[in-house]
Amino acid sequence: MAKAKVKKVFLDPLGKQNPVFAQVLGICSTLAVTNVLKNTLVMTMGVVFVTALSNFTVSLLRKVIPSRVRMMVETLIIASYVIIVEIALKAFVPDIWRQLGPYVGLIITNCIIMGRAEAFALSNPPGISLVDGLASGIGYAYVLLVIAFFRELMGSGTIWGYQVMGSWWTNWSIMVMPPGAFFMLAVFIWIVKGLLLTNEEKKS
Amino acid sequence: MNSAFFPLAVFFAAVFINNILLANYLGMCSFLSVSRELKTSVGLGAAVTFVMATTSLLNWLVYHYILLPLGLDYLRFIVFIVVIAAFVQLVEMIIERVSETLYAALGIFLPLITVNCAILGVCLFMVIREYDLLSSFTFGLGSGIGWFLAILAMAGIRLKLARARVPRGLEGAGITLIITGMMALAFMGFTGMIRL
């Protein structure tokens, strides 16, 4: 029973309850860095770390946080973890840290993290909250990695900085510019929703 | 560029060229969910513009007069968000006392604003780009107006869209994102007008 629940909590955010294409939450801060795969990976790792640990911490403290100020407390917990991420990035990957610029700090206002803390961690024990935060973070990360993969491939003809497209390929410079991210995300949502809809039709 | 026109240039750049929503993807969450109605969009847009302009000013003062002298630079995320939250709370209380109608119009949007990434984003950008006090204010004001412009245009388009036939998989978020992309394309036409 308990095992089944853990499995469900872990798998739901990866599939049909995915925070990005089912709820369209939290794309603000990370969409901006999806033009290069490497930066996206670093950024989403940060998001996974913060989501998991802030969910865990909020859940630990859920009985002592007065409900009137809970948003503020949650924000402060999240902000503390984001500061840890920022300091770590600055120390270990300073180049990427410089490219990410203000977007690392903006993980604080990523709606997914706050959303999970509000919707899940406040009413569940710490262990399962950690799993939920981890899964939501990963569900979020893989969608953005897919987007980043295609944006980098089409926009610069590279993957992870290595040239993969031959000289016949003309870079779609629109893909590395802001509109490319919006189109890419829309197409991704379209494809996934289309698949889900046809699946449902088959069932009924 | 250190001329007297710099704050003005920052203002126009923030509204048109580096629109906080269309070029920096900030404030998407509330943009996607609130842009369904014209009236609420206007309310939220006005509230965001006001809070953005004032908090960028406040946070500039806090950053340059408190955090930097004390060497607490690394705490800026927490401090900025606390300043924003406290200010929003204060404004909410003042509006509630002063004007019933204004509170009815803006009151519900204020709590939403605390977690609006665009506000924190403006404060972080202004620190990284090393603006002075006046430029920070015009940057905040310009970003707010830019965001207002984007959400207003989107609400207008979605009003028309209600009668259009959209492919089923694209309904809701999908089509909104595509239109946002087109708006971003249109705004790219302003690129190069002002060089900062």
Side-chain angles (χ1 to χ4, degrees), chain A residues 28 86 109 111 177-178 201, chain B residues 25 29 76 117 168 185 188:
Chain A
C28 351
E86 206 223 358
T109 46
C111 334
M177 284 193 254
E201 268 163 22
Chain B
Y25 315 96
C29 305
R76 65 182 185 280
C117 17
R168 272 176 51 215
L185 264 181
M188 271 171 64

Side-chain angles (χ1 to χ4, degrees), chain B residues 97-120:
Chain B
R97 286 279 168 84
V98 174
S99 159
E100 280 287 312
T101 44
L102 196 63
Y103 184 72
L106 290 185
I108 45 164
F109 299 114
L110 286 170
L112 264 179
I113 285 180
T114 316
V115 287
N116 187 322
C117 17
I119 313 264
L120 183 64

